[in-house]
Amino acid sequence: MQPYELSLSAAADAIRARQLSPVELADSVLERIEQVESHLQAYVTVTAEHTRRAAREAENDIAAGRYRGPLHGIPMGLKDLIDVAGAATSASSRVRADHRAQASSTVAARLSAAGAILVGKTHTHEFAYGLTTPQTSNAWDTGRIAGGSSGGSAVAVAAGTATFTLGTDTGGSIRVPAALNGVVGLKPTYGLIPRHGVTSLSWSLDHVGPITRTVEDAALALTALAGHDPRDPASLTTPAVDYRPGAGTDVTGLRVGVPRNYYFDHVDAEVETAVRRAIEQLQSLGARLVEVEIPMTRYIQATQWGLMVPEATAYHESSVRAVPELYQTDVRVLLEAGALVPAADYVRAQRARTLMRQEWARMLQEVDLIVAPTVPATAVKTGQETISWADGTVEGISDAYVRLSSPANITGVPSLSVPVGHDAAGMPIGMQLLGRPLEERVLLRIGHAYEATQPARELASAA
């Protein structure tokens, strides 16, 4: 096994035991980028010189006894919405072609303090306003979409061109590409990870979170990232905790909610089969399955778009008027449409969100978490615009992919996407776990327990 193939936790163990040096790991990842980046296009920019210098510094610090913890010497990528002092933050847009950050975002600073090493900035669907990331190819089949908007971040992890990455999630933008590329994606509780220094799409729906190879890796990253920052008005004052699930896989007695509505409606048969098989595996581990009714389902998509569209337009108001020609057409149209949303509709969406949060809180009193497909279908072919379901319904790609992930953004509950197999074409399938606010450890525990029963996952085949 080459160093770039190691998970975060495995690489951390090897570095701590002096069986692997940060320089060896960084060189392996950079060589992997040279091998596969030309046909995957996960990165906006690769910081090879910085990466090698930082790896040497990490190696010297560890040799001198200044080991900072499990992220020390680990190569990582950051979605190109996340500021790093002195580096470009383009948001994969010509609008930001000349932008350089004056200071680092909270998350970048925390990862740097933990010893993680930046490899580069990963592609996003322009300003995170889309579910495909058209610049980037799927890590399992370059003729299919990467998913978005954190497509570059998910592909980099799946292909071995970063040991872990950060993405952002406004309607599913961490979990969707994680599911479509066969890796783990965590959208934490709203406000748990500060967003200071991260370009916004929709301030009341935006989350930052890790994309990793394993659930334990996600827990390691979350432990370094979570914690209050007063510069983000939504940042929670929750005390820092260690999110690592440990070696145990006992989930006996956990009440796992299985939706009887919504989450299995208009879902590909192979996706449903794989997810239900994974649910049966959780039951065999001792979890208790409980049917639940998802509340207010008819309002979910209207609420998501009713909040996101006007908030995104407000953020871009000046620049979309000044330089509309610099935006990609799909994003510009959405931003211009947002200016036409009546204030009354935005207020209605806010009211619907309040009611939805209350109803989800009641539902989550009956169970410890909910399990469901992350997305209703695997990655579609590049250029495909719709999905046709068995009953004749035709659904747009963005609507289809956001449909099952957006409830966690509207309500702010944590959601973890875990790979649960592949379809007949070899494309990955994801299952999401949704829990009560600030109960990430429950999701990580049961995700880790499921993962421990499965064969070790290999890197993506197309890479």
Side-chain angles (χ1 to χ4, degrees), residues 35-79:
Q35 293 170 358
V36 303
E37 176 61 12
S38 62
H39 61 272
L40 293 180
Q41 295 295 307
Y43 284 94
V44 177
T45 183
V46 175
T47 57
E49 183 177 342
H50 162 84
T51 303
R52 291 191 171 96
R53 182 174 64 251
R56 289 192 297 270
E57 292 173 358
E59 185 170 286
N60 292 336
D61 283 346
I62 293 169
R66 296 187 294 271
Y67 181 64
R68 302 185 201 176
L71 300 189
H72 202 172
I74 302 296
M76 54 95 179
L78 296 177
K79 185 176 183 177

Side-chain angles (χ1 to χ4, degrees), residues 333-418:
V333 168
L334 284 170
L335 292 173
E336 290 174 345
L340 305 177
V341 176
D345 285 354
Y346 180 65
V347 171
R348 290 186 188 99
Q350 293 282 14
R351 289 173 174 169
R353 171 167 52 192
T354 298
L355 294 173
M356 209 173 295
R357 282 176 172 170
Q358 292 171 349
E359 292 301 314
W360 271 67
R362 292 190 185 99
M363 177 177 61
L364 287 167
Q365 289 175 355
E366 302 172 8
V367 293
D368 297 297
L369 71 158
I370 293 166
V371 291
T374 306
V375 289
T378 55
V380 299
K381 293 182 179 180
T382 302
Q384 183 174 332
E385 296 182 354
T386 61
I387 296 177
S388 298
W389 301 112
D391 64 358
T393 302
V394 177
E395 190 172 21
I397 295 301
S398 292
D399 284 339
Y401 283 143
V402 80
R403 173 162 45 88
L404 304 187
S405 55
S406 62
N409 297 86
I410 296 168
T411 59
V413 303
S415 178
L416 175 71
S417 181
V418 181

Side-chain angles (χ1 to χ4, degrees), residues 43 76-79 122 152-154 156-157 162-167 209-212:
Y43 284 94
M76 54 95 179
L78 296 177
K79 185 176 183 177
T122 57
S153 291
V157 174
T163 305
F164 77 102
T165 59
L166 293 191
I211 298 176
T212 61

Side-chain angles (χ1 to χ4, degrees), residues 188-279:
T189 302
Y190 182 72
L192 183 61
I193 296 178
R195 302 164 304 173
H196 173 73
V198 179
T199 301
S200 177
L201 173 57
S202 172
W203 74 270
S204 71
L205 297 168
D206 291 341
H207 301 65
V208 178
I211 298 176
T212 61
R213 308 261 176 84
T214 71
V215 174
E216 184 177 5
D217 294 355
L220 290 173
L222 180 61
T223 299
L225 293 164
H228 180 61
D229 182 349
R231 295 172 296 181
D232 177 357
S235 180
L236 301 174
T237 56
T238 308
V241 299
D242 187 342
Y243 289 95
R244 287 176 288 187
T249 58
D250 182 21
V251 298
T252 302
L254 276 179
R255 299 167 300 169
V256 173
V258 181
R260 67 171 65 96
N261 66 323
Y262 192 72
Y263 277 103
F264 289 99
D265 299 340
H266 288 151
V267 169
D268 179 83
E270 288 184 277
V271 171
E272 178 169 359
T273 297
V275 172
R276 291 199 183 277
R277 187 183 301 121
I279 292 171

Side-chain angles (χ1 to χ4, degrees), residues 140-141 144 270 378-379 422-428 461:
W140 290 86
D141 180 345
R144 295 177 184 263
E270 288 184 277
T378 55
H422 297 77
D423 66 10
M427 300 309 296
S461 58

Side-chain angles (χ1 to χ4, degrees), residues 36 93 110 119 138 258 266 285 318 349 440:
V36 303
S93 176
R110 286 180 178 176
V119 171
N138 190 284
V258 181
H266 288 151
L285 293 172
S318 297
E440 277 79 1

